[in-house]
Amino acid sequence: MLVKNFFKGGAKVPHFKNTAECETVKMEVPEKVRIPMLQHIGAPCEPCVKKGDTVRVGQIIGNSDKYISSPIHSSVSGTVTDVAPMLYAGGIYVTTVEIKTDGNQELYEGIKPPSFSNSNEFVSAIRESGLVGLGGAGFPAHVKLSPPSGKKIDTLIINAAECEPYITSDYREIIENSWNVISGINIIMEVLEIDNVLIGIEDNKPEAIKEMTRVAETDDKINVVKLKSRYPQGAEKMLIYATTGRKVPPGKLPADVGVIVMNVNSVSFISEYTKTGMPLIKKRITVDGPSVKRPANVEALIGTPISEVFNFCGGFGIVPKKILMGGPMMGIAQFTLDTPVLKHTNALLAFDETKAVLPKEQACIRCGRCVKACPMNLLPLQLNNNTIKENIEELNKYHVMDCIECGSCAYVCPAKINLVQSIRLGKAQVKQAAAKGGK
Amino acid sequence: MEKSFIVSSSPHIRDNASTRQIMLDVIIALIPASLAGVYFFGPRTLMVILVSVLACVLSEYASRKLMKRSNTILDLSAVVTGLLLALNLPPTAPLWMVVIGAVVAVVVIKQLFGGLGQNFINPALGARVFLFISYAGHMTNWVIPGADGVSSATPLGLLKAEEAAEIVFPSYKDLFLGNIGGCIGEVSAAALLIGGVYLVAKKVIGPEIPLAYIGTLGLFTWIFGGPTFFAGDFLYHILSGGLMLGAIYMATDYATSPMTTKGRIIMGIGCGLLTGIIRLYTNYPEGVSFAILLMNIAVPLIDRYTVPKSFGGGKAVE
């Protein structure tokens, strides 16, 4: 086991891994699912079913001819009851296919294990599977797995850092399905001809480190890297640096420094998919937070309304005031419980009033804590100042576009300034100015 | 929607740090130096401290009320300013003068420039220099610890007293403990260091500015402070005057110091050089206040030229 480099900055966040020992429990098929046509970074899919159609499990119901996109499959068998735009957190309307389930979960006839003999066929099979990065960002996996020609990939990094508080979804995958992880890794190694695999796990998960070390023992090409527990250790650039010592320059991709980073759940899925041909239709979700009666790790079908996931966990004890999809550092606050589970949903958190209400903003005292905390080496307070002034030139001077929005700065700010919110606005200002043809 | 949820931008959790806690830590760190001042110069000193703190808090409250801004006295920053101002005054300071200093510090230097975090020079130091120029007599009326009302010169004053026939310099021990003439809070290097260690341990301040400042001044006075090069009594310089108070508590003031480590080291070196130059080559025995104020003004410039590269070595977009 290797202990490698450590990035500068970051924040010491609480762990709250309350559900670490909660074995995954499978949720029943809901009465109705709502499956949005955008569950990834990239172009949204066009629905290829219409109201009244019957669909089966694993059937493609939305696809796109754009490269950076990922097909959407039905997670249930049943009848399409509606195809209409639905409002999601973030203020965007996405075409959503609503399916009334018949409870039989009949498989689509086209489902069979994919066959591939070279990397191109492998990558198109992965595209067909609908796999997107399951760590939370949802970047289409087939794009990750096809590096631009001329870029030699020598290292595959498996992201099992899981640095966000509460979430134990990656951890459970290692504890419950470690051989799947290894077999998924082996498939990628073989197809992409990679000889070096590093599995990064934070040192607050000794059991996971032990388990992965055990199953990887016989293969000296696969090594477990013990990472220091510090947020945002699982951020792609930080993880690459921690495991290999390589720094991805701003605006560049991991492939530019010869690595591919995959989430531990993603590689495990690849192993399952090559065996069964079943596309991505379900997801393990950590359900936690002070308002949840019985915190748990739940396997839910994609499209399940989150209200049903919470109900499955005993409902709410204390009245929830904030619902998060994802972790507390980067997760997205939801405005309704009708929102469905998405491909890359890894946690659903319910905060009561005491946790939901953030402290009031005060004046910046220039203490520099945000500067120390920024893993990207930026000056968050200057970005905030220049966003307020809408000073595009200065925002660029302070590298606003390099911000990864990890939230470390806002977390440590003693004046409780909503720095990430401000920086996001600053990025939007820069993009808008660029679109207008300004500097 | 039957239930309404709070939606806000991530992150959704925050740590326990607060402006108030930071200010409280600074106050705690200044307690040893304040006690040392009271011990060496008598109970009247306590009066100066209390009046200064009270006048600062009242000025903050009244000026913000007058400007129709929110009440900020609970963030304790005015208490810190009051405490620092008092520690920068001679024990004999008349109370009316203390009040004037407090008003200048809080109203003129801090609030008129936008309040907490917006002042371009350190409020307490700015007020001290204002008083020094306006009431030079009162501001240089030094006394020997213990002996009531017996005038004396400060250790640095002795260095400039060319005429005196027989000068007895204080020992390093007296300099370290504070058994010397000087401002209320500057005399005891030991007490100031204890507070400094507390602040660094609590991560309220980084060690960069104090170390760079003290180190630079030590080096400068060692090289140029003696009859020949490299023969200066640098320890005497380090332990005398307002250096400890200035380096640990004033030069590190957030609003008026750079925000990057590199910038802070530049700030410390600049303060050290200016203090050394003033002490050795001008009519003033002491240069800490002026040095820090001059560097305060240079902070925006330092910040401008120390913008770090992004992780991965990105260049600034020109």
Side-chain angles (χ1 to χ4, degrees):
Chain A
M1 190 197 317
L2 313 147
V3 184
K4 278 285 183 72
N5 308 303
F6 183 59
F7 65 92
K8 266 199 293 185
K12 200 177 163 195
V13 299
H15 295 148
F16 297 136
K17 302 284 188 185
N18 313 317
T19 53
E21 300 313 314
C22 297
E23 205 171 316
T24 314
V25 276
K26 219 171 141 173
M27 229 183 112
E28 70 276 24
V29 181
E31 259 178 49
K32 207 162 58 179
V33 293
R34 287 200 190 92
I35 304 178
M37 290 295 111
L38 181 61
Q39 302 185 39
H40 48 259
I41 293 175
C45 292
E46 287 299 323
C48 46
V49 290
K50 56 184 191 305
K51 198 172 165 179
D53 285 0
T54 51
V55 291
R56 292 185 187 167
V57 178
Q59 181 178 343
I60 290 189
I61 55 171
N63 212 338
S64 166
D65 52 9
K66 298 280 190 308
Y67 177 58
I68 301 182
S69 186
S70 181
I72 312 271
H73 302 80
S74 173
S75 55
V76 294
S77 63
T79 316
V80 176
T81 48
D82 201 6
V83 179
M86 182 173 163
L87 182 62
Y88 289 89
I92 48 161
Y93 281 93
V94 178
T95 309
T96 300
V97 175
E98 190 185 80
I99 303 166
K100 192 178 178 325
T101 58
D102 59 18
N104 300 329
Q105 288 302 87
E106 270 176 73
L107 288 197
Y108 181 59
E109 57 270 24
I111 289 184
K112 58 174 194 300
S115 64
F116 48 87
S117 53
N118 58 41
S119 64
N120 282 343
E121 286 173 21
F122 171 68
V123 167
S124 22
I126 294 298
R127 190 189 199 280
E128 287 305 297
S129 78
L131 178 63
V132 300
L134 298 181
F139 191 72
H142 66 96
V143 182
K144 267 192 190 185
L145 290 169
S146 36
S149 58
K151 301 249 159 73
K152 174 76 189 124
I153 302 297
D154 57 27
T155 306
L156 170 67
I157 297 170
I158 305 301
N159 192 349
E162 206 158 50
C163 58
E164 274 264 14
Y166 291 102
I167 310 181
T168 57
S169 170
D170 292 349
Y171 175 79
R172 289 314 304 176
E173 189 63 25
I174 290 173
I175 299 301
E176 294 172 24
N177 301 317
S178 54
W179 285 109
N180 263 351
V181 177
I182 291 292
S183 116
I185 289 171
N186 280 323
I187 294 166
I188 299 172
M189 283 171 82
E190 203 183 307
V191 181
L192 297 186
E193 293 168 2
I194 296 172
D195 291 336
N196 184 27
V197 179
L198 300 167
I199 305 170
I201 307 174
E202 279 193 341
D203 60 10
N204 65 347
K205 296 175 267 289
E207 288 304 312
I209 294 174
K210 214 165 93 188
E211 177 60 15
M212 277 326 293
T213 311
R214 184 179 73 82
V215 292
E217 206 170 32
T218 51
D219 193 338
D220 56 8
K221 289 174 183 166
I222 306 175
N223 283 297
V224 177
V225 183
K226 184 170 154 182
L227 306 168
K228 201 166 142 183
S229 300
R230 190 168 176 93
Y231 186 85
Q233 184 69 78
E236 200 165 62
K237 290 186 178 191
M238 279 67 242
L239 181 71
I240 293 171
Y241 179 65
T243 48
T244 65
R246 298 175 197 175
K247 290 183 177 180
V248 181
K252 299 280 180 179
L253 294 169
D256 292 304
V257 295
V259 303
I260 289 177
V261 183
M262 299 282 288
N263 175 265
V264 66
N265 269 297
S266 301
V267 287
S268 204
F269 169 82
I270 288 176
S271 158
E272 277 292 301
Y273 173 65
T274 51
K275 276 185 249 168
T276 62
M278 179 58 77
L280 185 60
I281 56 156
K282 59 184 177 56
K283 189 71 219 295
R284 179 190 297 103
I285 302 158
T286 298
V287 187
D288 200 353
S291 285
V292 176
K293 258 197 186 147
R294 288 196 306 269
N297 278 299
V298 175
E299 185 187 289
L301 293 172
I302 285 156
T304 307
I306 60 173
S307 56
E308 299 206 18
V309 182
F310 282 117
N311 284 340
F312 183 71
C313 297
F316 299 118
I318 317 163
V319 180
K321 273 291 176 195
K322 190 183 263 182
I323 304 292
L324 297 180
M325 193 174 264
M329 292 300 285
M330 288 189 78
I332 298 168
Q334 304 294 319
F335 64 90
T336 168
L337 291 173
D338 294 336
T339 295
V341 168
L342 307 178
K343 285 179 180 180
H344 53 279
T345 304
N346 49 13
L348 286 171
L349 305 176
F351 284 179
D352 59 345
E353 183 140 19
T354 54
K355 277 205 103 139
V357 182
L358 290 173
K360 247 176 81 179
E361 280 193 344
Q362 290 174 302
C364 171
I365 53 171
R366 280 179 50 99
C367 64
R369 288 182 188 203
C370 56
V371 175
K372 276 222 147 61
C374 181
M376 288 303 293
N377 228 3
L378 308 177
L379 304 175
L381 81 165
Q382 294 290 48
L383 295 174
N384 179 42
N385 290 340
N386 286 303
T387 299
I388 293 167
K389 289 187 264 186
E390 292 190 47
N391 189 335
I392 308 300
E393 204 177 314
E394 291 282 290
L395 281 169
N396 279 322
K397 179 179 182 273
Y398 291 108
H399 323 298
V400 70
M401 297 316 265
D402 292 345
C403 170
I404 58 171
E405 301 175 18
C406 68
S408 300
C409 54
Y411 178 78
V412 300
C413 178
K416 312 296 172 191
I417 297 171
N418 296 316
L419 289 162
V420 178
Q421 182 174 358
S422 172
I423 293 170
R424 283 195 183 119
L425 185 62
K427 284 182 172 181
Q429 289 170 0
V430 169
K431 281 183 200 156
Q432 205 172 40
K436 275 188 196 153
K439 256 177 90 176
Chain B
M1 257 181 301
E2 69 283 12
K3 272 179 199 152
S4 63
F5 297 120
I6 296 172
V7 283
S8 60
S9 170
S10 63
H12 305 282
I13 49 172
R14 304 293 158 94
D15 74 2
N16 294 326
S18 67
T19 303
R20 187 190 159 94
Q21 183 58 45
I22 290 171
M23 296 300 164
L24 195 62
D25 276 333
V26 177
I27 294 167
I28 291 169
L30 284 170
I31 287 175
S34 308
L35 289 178
V38 175
Y39 172 79
F40 286 116
F41 299 116
R44 187 182 178 278
T45 317
L46 194 62
M47 202 59 196
V48 174
I49 295 175
L50 288 180
V51 167
S52 177
V53 170
L54 208 66
C56 278
V57 173
L58 280 176
S59 302
E60 171 115 342
Y61 178 80
S63 61
R64 291 201 57 106
K65 186 114 185 157
L66 219 63
M67 292 188 286
K68 298 192 169 59
R69 292 185 183 159
S70 61
N71 177 15
T72 49
I73 59 168
L74 288 178
D75 69 21
L76 299 180
S77 63
V79 177
V80 171
T81 302
L83 198 50
L84 281 172
L85 175 64
L87 298 188
N88 271 291
L89 296 175
T92 55
L95 298 181
W96 57 265
M97 188 185 82
V98 177
V99 174
I100 291 176
V103 172
V104 169
V106 171
V107 179
V108 180
I109 302 176
K110 187 179 166 191
Q111 290 303 338
L112 288 188
F113 282 89
L116 184 63
Q118 300 295 323
N119 46 291
F120 69 103
I121 52 172
N122 184 307
L125 267 189
R128 176 190 142 95
V129 169
F130 172 84
L131 295 177
F132 185 72
I133 291 165
S134 310
Y135 312 104
H138 288 301
M139 286 297 286
T140 51
N141 183 13
W142 311 112
V143 288
I144 301 170
D148 259 344
V150 178
S151 295
S152 129
T154 61
L156 289 171
L158 293 173
L159 287 177
K160 296 257 157 133
E162 291 161 36
E163 300 298 311
E166 217 178 286
I167 299 170
V168 184
F169 289 106
S171 67
Y172 289 138
K173 187 184 153 202
D174 282 344
L175 284 171
F176 184 66
L177 294 178
N179 196 18
I180 46 171
C183 289
I184 294 170
E186 72 180 19
V187 289
S188 175
L192 291 164
L193 279 172
I194 291 171
V197 169
Y198 174 81
L199 288 183
V200 172
K202 289 278 259 176
K203 296 198 171 152
V204 172
I205 61 165
E208 305 97 354
I209 292 177
L211 290 183
Y213 193 167
I214 296 168
T216 305
L217 181 73
L219 205 65
F220 189 87
T221 51
W222 177 56
I223 298 173
F224 301 109
T228 59
F229 284 144
F230 303 105
D233 190 346
F234 62 89
L235 203 56
Y236 190 87
H237 270 283
I238 287 174
L239 295 174
S240 307
L243 179 66
M244 288 291 169
L245 182 61
I248 300 171
Y249 303 90
M250 318 287 278
T252 54
D253 172 31
Y254 291 148
T256 53
S257 65
M259 54 204 159
T260 62
T261 302
K262 199 167 144 193
R264 286 172 178 174
I265 292 169
I266 295 172
M267 167 95 180
I269 293 172
C271 287
L273 284 178
L274 287 172
T275 306
I277 290 167
I278 294 169
R279 280 188 184 181
L280 298 184
Y281 305 116
T282 73
N283 288 329
Y284 289 108
E286 170 61 306
V288 168
S289 305
F290 289 117
I292 296 175
L293 287 182
L294 285 171
M295 289 310 290
N296 283 166
I297 301 168
V299 164
L301 204 61
I302 297 173
D303 274 343
R304 192 133 199 103
Y305 287 99
T306 51
V307 178
K309 283 180 176 172
S310 304
F311 178 86
K315 285 204 303 280
V317 179
E318 300 298 339

